[in-house]
Amino acid sequence: MTTDASLPPLSALFKHQAFVRYWFARIAGIMGNQMLMVAVAWHMYDLTSSAWDLGLVGLFQFVPALVMTLPAGHVADRLHRGRIFAACMALQAGVALTLLSATLGNFASRELILLISVVLGLARAFQMPAQQALVALLVPTNLLGRAVALSSTGMEIAVISGPALGGLLYALGPTNVYICCTALMVLATGLILAVHYKHKPSNLAASWSTLFAGVRFVWERKLLLGASSLDLFAVLLGGATALLPIYARDILHTGPTGLGFLRAAPAVGALTMSLVITRWPLRRHVGKRLLSAVAVFGLATVLFGLSESFWLSLFALTVTGAADCISVVTRNTLVQLETPDEMRGRVAAVNSIFIGASNQLGEFESGATAAMWGPVGSVVVGGIGTMLVAGLWFKLFPALAHRDHMEPQGSR
């Protein structure tokens, strides 16, 4: 068995320049994307004051992502993954510029924001498989777990600073947010174009068989199926991101600045936990810890739903972020370790469908149920559902629940 003492030091990661450039590109891109999401959500709520429309923003991102993600995974296994990632960053820079022009020209509308959401969904469809499948090509296998954890740390830094900065800039005027988003996306594009790795051109023919190969691969391996589907059902039920503008304005009585801090709070918890995991990687009882983290995520979501205190709400969201970090790092590492490189793009595409469904479709679910039951009822019921999912997955996927070590048995 590999012990913590035999693991390469964390500093070894920074000797791989391609990974370092990728890491900074992800930080810039995610920060810009998070700022954009805060601005789009608040802009839509300013225009319509409708929980349903907030949910539609998520749905309009999810549908094109769902349709295009499997073809995107096939593309990621054939073409240069870094260039695909860069093209997606450039497309999002174009989205920010469009919103900037619409704001300056006073023609921003509900319909434009929904159209923009479709474009963001398409960008996400191609970005996620390429981005996820790229990490394993930039570092050796013995550093992969630390690379995934450090990538999570960088992501959380961006998710903390992005929404908070986005909320502050939006309070000064939405044009400030869109200018900053454009600059960050352009920076990310340049950095990722500077990532060089040994690309092996693939002659993989496009067919229904190759297109759905990732689906078959995940379906036949119950550990991967359990890990990927766990995110879908847990966050689909327990996510409250789409309702944060309602909580900020109508329940907690804060403005766009408060919304920025609410959106950043989960990332504070996730950043803290990712630093812990990067320093002390999970080595034992990874399956039980994964499912326990999902249950804690659900419990903290219930607490947030019931809270009428801004500070208690921040605490609850921080706990959800810490719990979700354990889940994300564990699931992503298991998927990378259990998948051969020639399949990573298509398997990452399947994983992206689950993640996209849990996030974008979850936002629609939150908006729709909030329109029926109110925001508090929607969040509380969703959190309870997440806890039930964690218990059910323990029974349905014993290979996942009883997974002890992170690495496969044969590698120890």
Side-chain angles (χ1 to χ4, degrees), residues 62-357:
F62 170 69
V63 171
L66 175 65
V67 172
M68 294 304 300
T69 295
L70 288 181
H74 187 274
V75 170
D77 279 336
R78 291 194 63 184
L79 304 181
H80 194 287
R81 293 165 184 169
R83 291 170 187 165
I84 297 171
F85 187 5
C88 294
M89 289 291 99
L91 181 58
Q92 292 177 70
V95 166
L97 277 174
T98 300
L99 287 169
L100 174 62
S101 300
T103 303
L104 291 173
N106 199 31
F107 60 87
S109 65
R110 172 182 182 271
E111 290 71 25
L112 177 63
I113 291 177
L114 292 178
L115 177 61
I116 287 297
S117 298
V118 172
V119 177
L120 290 173
L122 289 172
R124 179 187 178 86
F126 284 88
Q127 177 184 334
M128 292 297 289
Q131 177 180 287
Q132 290 182 27
L134 188 56
V135 181
L137 299 175
L138 306 181
V139 297
T141 301
N142 64 340
L143 281 172
L144 182 58
R146 289 195 187 274
V148 171
L150 188 61
S151 293
S152 180
T153 300
M155 180 184 71
E156 302 308 339
I157 291 172
V159 173
I160 289 170
S161 54
L165 183 57
L168 289 170
L169 289 175
Y170 193 95
L172 298 174
T175 57
N176 297 298
V177 183
Y178 299 137
I179 291 171
C180 192
C181 287
T182 302
L184 286 168
M185 295 300 183
V186 170
L187 174 61
T189 302
L191 284 170
I192 204 65
L193 286 175
V195 170
H196 302 293
Y197 66 93
K198 189 175 181 180
H199 171 61
K200 298 178 181 178
S202 171
N203 295 320
L204 189 66
S207 68
W208 288 111
S209 177
T210 57
L211 192 65
F212 285 93
V215 176
R216 289 196 303 273
F217 187 89
V218 172
W219 179 261
E220 292 168 358
R221 290 156 179 81
K222 299 306 179 187
L223 184 144
L224 295 183
L225 179 62
S228 298
S229 61
L230 180 65
D231 183 83
L232 167 61
F233 290 100
V235 181
L236 173 64
L237 294 171
T241 302
L243 304 182
L244 290 182
I246 299 175
Y247 270 84
R249 194 178 79 175
D250 301 334
I251 296 176
L252 302 175
H253 307 294
T254 63
T257 301
L259 173 62
F261 284 110
L262 288 172
R263 286 196 65 122
V268 173
L271 174 60
T272 303
M273 185 57 66
S274 66
L275 290 172
V276 172
I277 294 175
T278 301
R279 177 62 182 85
W280 296 284
L282 297 178
R283 308 300 298 165
R284 300 293 308 275
H285 312 301
V286 294
K288 291 179 180 177
R289 290 179 178 179
L290 169 61
L291 293 172
S292 297
V294 172
V296 171
F297 178 91
L299 182 61
T301 299
V302 172
L303 177 61
F304 169 76
L306 295 173
S307 171
E308 295 182 358
S309 162
F310 179 70
W311 295 108
L312 181 59
S313 297
L314 284 177
F315 170 76
L317 290 173
T318 301
V319 173
T320 65
D324 189 50
C325 178
I326 296 174
S327 173
V328 168
V329 171
T330 303
R331 287 185 293 102
N332 286 348
T333 304
L334 287 174
V335 169
Q336 293 287 333
L337 289 172
E338 296 287 335
T339 307
D341 181 64
E342 64 272 13
M343 287 291 299
R344 283 195 176 110
R346 283 166 288 174
V347 170
V350 176
N351 199 37
S352 295
I353 290 176
F354 287 126
I355 294 172

